[in-house]
Amino acid sequence: MGDYPGDGKNENYNEGIFVGYRWTDKQNIKPLFGFGHGLSYTTFEYGKITADKKVMDADGNITFTVLVKNTGSRDGKETVQLYISDKESSLPRPVKELKRFKKVDLKAGESQSVSFTISKEELSFYDDTKHEWIAEPGKFEALVGASSTDIRSKILFELK
């Protein structure tokens, strides 16, 4: 009744924020191909993610860096993805949210450092009762990987 595809005039979208990989994460379902999954004729290895600080001020930024290496015998491209997980939210939040991605082109055997800088805005959520965007202080986790289900490294940080 009025839900998508609706009655031809009105449509309701009742999914909320839990659609796509956010829903499969919430339901603890591992899809055959995770969000952001890609195929290549080569393989890539991810190093350990690092952060330029452990605590981020509300008016500051934090930068995450990971070394990506083409371990195959062919040149190739990899889309490195950064997800953020809010560990202490007062409202329901997705398990993780894609915040940044970067495509790197690596020759066989080549390595490259990939960095992502985020601010408080990327840690915010919309509170529909207060009608404003909120970034709550607390613990967060940065996750880097090749898709939503292929997370290669994680690091904890805090927003003050």
Side-chain angles (χ1 to χ4, degrees):
M1 182 171 138
D3 291 344
Y4 183 82
D7 59 12
K9 294 181 183 178
N10 298 305
E11 295 161 354
N12 294 324
Y13 297 92
N14 296 321
E15 300 93 351
I17 61 173
F18 298 105
V19 295
Y21 75 90
R22 294 173 174 191
W23 183 80
T24 58
D25 283 352
K26 181 181 177 191
Q27 300 300 320
N28 203 23
I29 296 170
K30 182 158 181 161
L32 186 58
F33 300 103
F35 176 78
H37 170 81
L39 297 175
S40 180
Y41 289 106
T42 190
T43 54
F44 296 92
E45 179 180 281
Y46 287 57
K48 185 175 175 161
I49 188 173
T50 60
D52 65 345
K53 58 185 89 165
K54 291 182 188 262
V55 178
M56 179 180 149
D57 294 327
D59 58 349
N61 295 322
I62 188 167
T63 300
F64 303 102
T65 303
V66 64
L67 185 68
V68 179
K69 180 178 183 178
N70 180 341
T71 56
S73 60
R74 295 176 179 241
D75 298 353
K77 295 179 183 178
E78 175 78 338
T79 303
V80 182
Q81 300 165 37
L82 175 73
Y83 294 85
I84 299 293
S85 177
D86 187 344
K87 298 300 190 185
E88 301 177 335
S89 179
S90 63
L91 292 178
R93 299 278 310 264
V95 174
K96 62 183 173 288
E97 297 175 87
L98 178 67
K99 296 300 179 179
R100 294 271 191 273
F101 62 91
K102 201 173 280 184
K103 190 170 219 171
V104 293
D105 191 355
L106 299 172
K107 298 194 180 312
E110 184 181 15
S111 297
Q112 182 177 333
S113 286
V114 178
S115 294
F116 302 100
T117 300
I118 64 167
S119 66
K120 176 183 83 169
E121 283 72 30
E122 280 89 7
L123 306 178
S124 300
F125 61 89
Y126 189 76
D127 186 333
D128 61 351
T129 59
K130 295 179 182 177
H131 303 286
E132 62 184 5
W133 286 91
I134 296 177
E136 295 177 325
K139 296 186 186 316
F140 291 83
E141 187 172 45
L143 307 96
V144 68
S147 77
S148 65
T149 57
D150 187 7
I151 301 300
R152 307 286 181 96
S153 187
K154 305 174 184 181
I155 190 167
L156 289 169
F157 68 100
E158 188 174 346
L159 174 65
K160 285 285 184 189

